[in-house]
């Protein structure tokens, strides 16, 4: 990365994060003009409940996509972890700490299993996690069938429904902010983060440089498993109920958010700032559409459209930039 | 950059103020299990019929794409934020919606559930499309009329442990004690376990064991369709009469060819009408929502709020040649 100081103004303006920021502002302006209820701090804080669990999985998904991998089994992991928590709560009557442990452990184990198959056997991540997409939720259906588990201890509800002290700030939001800071530091200030970009740009070259590519990829999948487990704990606590169809369809929205955040779907490029803006942009856009009662199907069309923009635009921007750069250098 | 931000904030503020004009209409939201479901689209049509009664009412029809609790929570959240006056919900999960429904009620919104209820404490009342006594008595009345109040009848139920069916059968036996049915005799109750092939075999068994059989009641959608098929295959259409609780789309052919001249099930249009009507009257204060209260619900007549805040709408809607085509297209 070149230092920002020397960047000419057009390069700053053409950075995806800056464009995204302006899109975010435009989204706020449009939404507040469409509904008088949009710009209300209580409403906005409360609506974060609806996308914080997704946001928590977006962070490790950013690592995975930067590395050139993908994981589409995350919502399946949520369902599986939630089912285990549900059965433990219903049949063993375990308390909140044990439930959290079961949720995290299930996620971590399943994620590590994905990682093992991908790195040791060398199957592409899309194939392995597609199998997981069907398998994990399938197991949840096999365990629960039409049954719903709704017997959770009362203290368990705080994690997903609670606020910090007497404020209107959701506990889930704070968990996300802390995680986002950690992920940002790891991505941009540590060797681990540097290695992620190196692998995504050219994994063969990265291997020649002595980076243990497979260990890092394995660690990424274990990590996304763990955080899917955490998301499962929070979501299960928030709705106080486990059904096998819990969180269905989330994997796509999570990937949309990551890619819209400027992480290249081909790997090798990405930025925590863009991803965080993207999380709030998508979450608040959904809220705004909800306020004017846009049907869910139209919301999905909008999401698909955003994804298309996100896949096409940053790539063409990069091409444009390099074209201009080479022209300048030729001069 | 600072200046730019200031300008943006000013724009947002102005836009926010301009658009916050007062809305005088009573907005009633109907939240269904999922979109693209013909049953709920019929509920919406009923709701539209109900709001046609006044000019100051607006119906907001919402539902998630997949039938999940979290999808409904997000929708209810946006309805609370836009301060609708009432919400009528067919819940994907009875307990998961309790916290958000409580939040809505605390914000002064009248919350009721219909079809699939929210647990007590999360709604003012639950509207069931029908009740056990209505169902049981009506089934006997229909078959009696078909066979001229004379002869042997049998029941083909779901499983022997099926709670709903057993309660309905209890009411059928109760109805049969009335003097009008003194020439009718219930000779057998058999169980098809809600499987098509087993129900078919049980129906065949009834034909053989009871050569004088005049009528069969099958209070399960699987059983009544399988019995219709068995009657046709044996050439017994019109010899043995059939009624039950059936899906119009599955029963259409048997009703049109006279194998099953009449059968019954809930009518989603009436259900949507009643739910919307009750929600509106709760807003205007004409209905209080107290246990024991008799609500006057427009064209549906009087509906009483029973134990646990559960109101039973009406006896099942009877389908015959005159209306089956219309409803077969719905569900």
């Amino acid at each position: 990365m070149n230092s920002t100081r020397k960047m000419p103004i057009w390069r700053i303006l053409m950075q995806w994060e800056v464009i995204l920021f302006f899109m975010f502002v435009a989204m706020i302006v449009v939404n507040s003009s469409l509904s008088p209820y949009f710009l209300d701090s209580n409403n906005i804080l409360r609506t974060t409940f609806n996308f914080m669990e997704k946001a928590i999985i977006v962070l490790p998904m950013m690592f995975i996509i930067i590395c050139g991998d993908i994981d589409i089994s995350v919502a399946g992991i949520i369902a599986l972890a939630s089912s285990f928590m549900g059965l433990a709560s219903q049949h063993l009557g375990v308390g909140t700490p044990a439930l959290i442990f079961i949720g995290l452990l299930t996620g971590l184990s399943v994620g590590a299993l994905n990682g093992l198959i991908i790195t040791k056997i060398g199957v592409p991540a899309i194939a392995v996690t597609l199998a997981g997409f069907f398998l994990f939720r399938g197991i949840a259906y096999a365990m629960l069938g039409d049954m719903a588990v709704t017997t959770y201890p009362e203290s368990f509800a705080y994690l997903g429904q609670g606020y910090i002290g007497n404020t209107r700030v959701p506990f889930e939001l704070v968990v996300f902010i802390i995680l986002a800071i950690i992920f940002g530091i790891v991505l941009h200030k540590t060797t681990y983060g540097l290695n992620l970009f190196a692998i995504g740009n050219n994994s063969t070259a990265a291997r020649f440089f002595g980076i243990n590519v497979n260990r890092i990829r394995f660690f990424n999948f274990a990590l996304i498993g763990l955080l899917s487990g955490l998301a499962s704990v929070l979501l299960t606590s928030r709705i106080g109920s486990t059904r096998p169809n819990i969180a269905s369809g989330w994997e796509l929205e999570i990937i949309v958010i990551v890619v819209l955040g400027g992480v290249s779907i081909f790997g090798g490029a990405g930025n925590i700032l863009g991803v965080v803006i993207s999380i709030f942009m998508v979450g608040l856009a959904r809220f705004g559409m909800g306020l004017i009662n846009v049907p869910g199907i139209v919301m999905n069309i909008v999401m698909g459209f955003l994804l298309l923009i996100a896949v096409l635009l940053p790539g063409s921007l990069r091409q444009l930039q390099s074209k201009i750069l080479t022209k300048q250098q030729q001069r | 950059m600072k200046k730019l931000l200031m300008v943006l904030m000013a724009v947002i503020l102005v836009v926010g103020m301009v658009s916050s004009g007062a809305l005088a209409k009573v907005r009633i939201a109907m939240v269904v299990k999922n979109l693209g479901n013909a049953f709920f689209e019929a509920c919406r049509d009923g709701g539209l019929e109900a709001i046609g009664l006044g000019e100051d009412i607006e119906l907001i029809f919402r539902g998630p794409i997949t039938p999940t609790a979290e999808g409904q929570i997000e929708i209810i959240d946006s309805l609370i934020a836009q301060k609708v006056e009432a919400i009528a919900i067919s819940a994907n999960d009875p307990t998961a919606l309790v916290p958000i429904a409580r939040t809505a009620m605390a914000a002064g919104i009248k919350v009721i559930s219909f079809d699939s209820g929210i647990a007590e404490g999360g709604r003012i009342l639950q509207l069931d499309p029908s009740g056990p006594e209505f169902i049981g008595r009506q089934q006997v009345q229909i078959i009696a009329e078909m066979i001229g109040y004379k002869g042997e009848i049998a029941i083909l139920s779901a499983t022997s442990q099926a709670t709903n069916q057993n309660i309905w059968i209890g009411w059928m036996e109760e109805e049969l004690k009335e003097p009008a049915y003194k020439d009718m005799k219930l000779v057998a109750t058999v169980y098809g376990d809600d499987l098509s092939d087993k129900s078919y075999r049980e129906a065949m068994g009834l034909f053989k064991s009871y050569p004088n059989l005049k009528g069969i009641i099958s209070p399960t959608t699987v059983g009544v369709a399988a019995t219709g098929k068995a009657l046709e295959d044996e050439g017994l259409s019109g010899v043995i009469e059939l009624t039950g609780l059936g899906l119009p789309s599955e029963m259409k052919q048997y009703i049109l060819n006279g194998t099953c001249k009449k059968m019954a099930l809930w009518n989603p249009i009436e259900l949507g009408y009643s739910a919307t009507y009750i929600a509106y009257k709760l807003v205007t204060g004409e209905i209080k929502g107290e246990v024991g209260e008799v609500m006057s619900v427009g064209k549906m007549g009087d509906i009483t709020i029973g134990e646990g805040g559960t109101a039973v709408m009406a006896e099942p809607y009877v389908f015959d040649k005159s209306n089956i085509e219309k409803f077969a297209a719905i569900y």
Side-chain angles (χ1 to χ4, degrees), chain A residues 21-22 25 28-29 32-33 36-37 39 43 46-47 50 150 161 235 238-241 243 245-248 250 286-287 290-291 293-297 299-300, chain B residues 1 4-5 8 11-12 15-16 19-20 23 27 35 60 62-63 65-70 73-74 77-83 92-96 99 103:
Chain A
F21 177 75
F22 282 108
V25 173
I28 302 266
V29 171
S32 35
S33 67
Y37 309 107
L39 276 186
N43 283 349
R46 209 183 51 237
T47 200
N50 293 311
T150 53
Q161 298 177 26
L235 175 61
R238 177 158 69 88
I239 66 181
S241 150
R243 271 167 199 276
N245 71 0
I246 188 168
S248 47
W250 281 24
R286 277 188 74 101
F287 176 61
L291 284 180
N293 302 306
V294 171
I297 290 154
M299 281 191 203
N300 272 17
Chain B
M1 200 65 184
L4 194 62
L5 274 177
L8 281 173
V11 168
I12 291 170
V15 171
S19 51
S20 55
L23 297 154
R27 288 156 306 155
L35 291 180
I60 299 170
R62 298 282 302 272
I65 292 183
T66 48
T68 60
E70 60 271 21
I73 290 173
E74 189 176 346
D77 187 70
S78 77
L79 294 170
I80 297 172
Q82 52 183 299
K83 302 184 170 66
N92 282 322
D93 189 312
T95 47
T103 309

Side-chain angles (χ1 to χ4, degrees), chain A residues 21-191:
Chain A
F21 177 75
F22 282 108
M23 279 169 69
F24 180 75
V25 173
M27 186 271 298
I28 302 266
V29 171
V30 168
N31 271 318
S32 35
S33 67
L34 289 177
S35 168
Y37 309 107
F38 185 78
L39 276 186
D40 174 321
S41 62
N42 273 347
N43 283 349
I44 286 185
L45 280 173
R46 209 183 51 237
T47 200
T48 61
F49 276 116
N50 293 311
F51 58 93
M52 276 308 113
E53 296 112 8
K54 288 174 200 157
I56 284 169
I57 305 178
V58 162
L59 298 170
M61 188 69 89
M62 169 180 76
F63 279 14
I64 285 192
I65 296 182
I66 287 176
C67 249
D69 283 320
I70 194 123
D71 188 338
I72 49 179
S73 70
V74 288
I77 298 178
I78 293 182
L80 189 67
S82 186
S83 303
F84 277 126
M85 285 189 281
L87 291 180
S89 177
Q90 191 174 40
H91 297 297
L92 309 175
V94 299
T96 301
L99 287 175
I100 298 173
F101 180 75
I102 291 169
L104 297 180
L105 186 70
T106 309
L108 180 63
S109 327
V110 173
L113 182 73
N114 272 342
L116 262 183
I117 299 173
I118 290 163
T119 56
K120 293 287 169 200
I121 307 178
V123 188
I126 185 137
V128 175
T129 57
L130 180 61
F133 170 91
F134 290 108
L135 184 67
F136 304 146
R137 194 176 292 282
I139 296 173
Y141 268 105
M143 288 197 296
L144 292 175
D146 280 341
M147 204 179 71
V149 177
T150 53
T151 48
Y152 286 100
E154 236 163 69
S155 64
F156 185 60
Y158 176 79
L159 300 165
Q161 298 177 26
Y163 296 89
I164 300 294
N166 285 328
T167 66
R168 305 296 298 166
V169 181
F171 175 72
E172 286 193 338
L173 180 63
V174 175
V175 171
F176 165 73
I177 290 171
I178 294 170
L179 284 170
I181 292 170
I182 297 174
F183 272 80
I185 292 172
V186 171
L187 183 64
H188 298 295
K189 302 281 176 205
T190 66
T191 331

Side-chain angles (χ1 to χ4, degrees), chain B residues 82-304:
Chain B
Q82 52 183 299
K83 302 184 170 66
V84 297
E85 276 71 26
I87 309 179
I89 307 166
S90 174
N92 282 322
D93 189 312
T95 47
L97 294 187
V98 171
I100 190 82
R102 280 207 178 126
T103 309
M105 290 196 285
I109 298 171
K110 306 290 180 193
V111 179
I112 66 167
S113 54
F114 67 99
D115 176 47
S116 201
I118 299 179
E120 244 179 292
R123 38 81 177 163
I124 296 167
L125 63 92
Q126 149 67 13
L127 181 68
D128 280 340
S130 195
E133 182 172 357
F134 275 132
I135 296 167
R137 289 191 188 278
Q138 186 198 38
Q139 293 279 299
V140 172
Q141 286 156 11
I142 294 175
I143 201 78
E145 201 181 293
M146 284 164 128
I147 64 172
Y149 292 85
K150 202 182 267 182
E152 294 180 355
I153 60 164
I155 295 171
L156 195 154
S157 183
T159 67
S160 58
Q161 299 93 27
T163 323
N164 285 345
Q165 269 82 5
N166 285 346
I167 300 172
W168 300 338
I169 291 170
W171 280 108
M172 290 180 204
E173 287 163 352
E174 204 60 35
E175 177 75 7
L176 281 168
K177 288 176 188 160
E178 303 280 329
Y181 309 106
K182 60 181 182 340
D183 295 331
M184 279 170 61
K185 194 181 167 208
L186 177 62
V187 290
T189 301
V190 294
Y191 301 95
D193 292 350
D194 261 354
L195 299 168
S196 283
D197 53 336
K198 180 147 195 281
S199 303
Y200 182 87
R201 286 199 303 275
E202 291 293 340
M204 290 289 194
L206 284 176
F207 308 156
K208 289 202 180 70
S209 315
Y210 303 96
N212 296 324
L213 197 64
K214 284 279 174 289
I216 296 176
I217 298 173
S218 186
T220 140
T221 56
V222 179
V224 72
T227 310
K229 175 116 183 34
L231 284 171
E232 259 183 17
D233 290 355
E234 289 299 294
L236 290 169
S237 298
V239 180
I240 299 177
E241 299 290 350
L242 170 67
T243 192
L245 299 176
L247 268 179
S249 54
E250 289 177 6
M251 294 305 290
K252 183 176 148 193
Q253 61 171 114
Y254 303 118
I255 288 185
L256 291 180
N257 70 17
T259 303
C260 170
K261 295 188 183 72
K262 279 183 183 176
M263 58 103 198
L265 201 66
W266 352 124
N267 178 337
I269 301 175
E270 290 180 349
L271 189 59
Y273 173 91
S274 306
T276 309
Y277 195 101
I278 292 170
Y280 177 62
K281 294 293 172 186
L282 279 166
V283 173
T284 62
E286 287 164 71
I287 291 174
K288 299 276 177 292
E290 290 151 359
V291 172
E293 183 181 351
V294 179
M295 305 179 285
S296 157
V297 185
K299 67 167 188 177
M300 298 304 294
D302 289 348
I303 298 175
T304 310

Side-chain angles (χ1 to χ4, degrees), chain A residues 295-330:
Chain A
I297 290 154
V298 177
M299 281 191 203
N300 272 17
I301 295 174
V302 173
M303 293 293 291
F305 190 66
L306 279 179
L307 180 63
L308 204 59
I309 293 179
V311 173
L312 293 179
L313 218 84
S316 12
L317 274 183
R318 251 173 248 132
Q319 272 181 350
L320 197 64
Q321 279 192 1
S322 59
K323 253 185 207 165
I324 298 173
L325 272 184
T326 36
K327 258 190 194 163
Q328 281 183 339
Q329 277 160 358
Q330 277 166 351

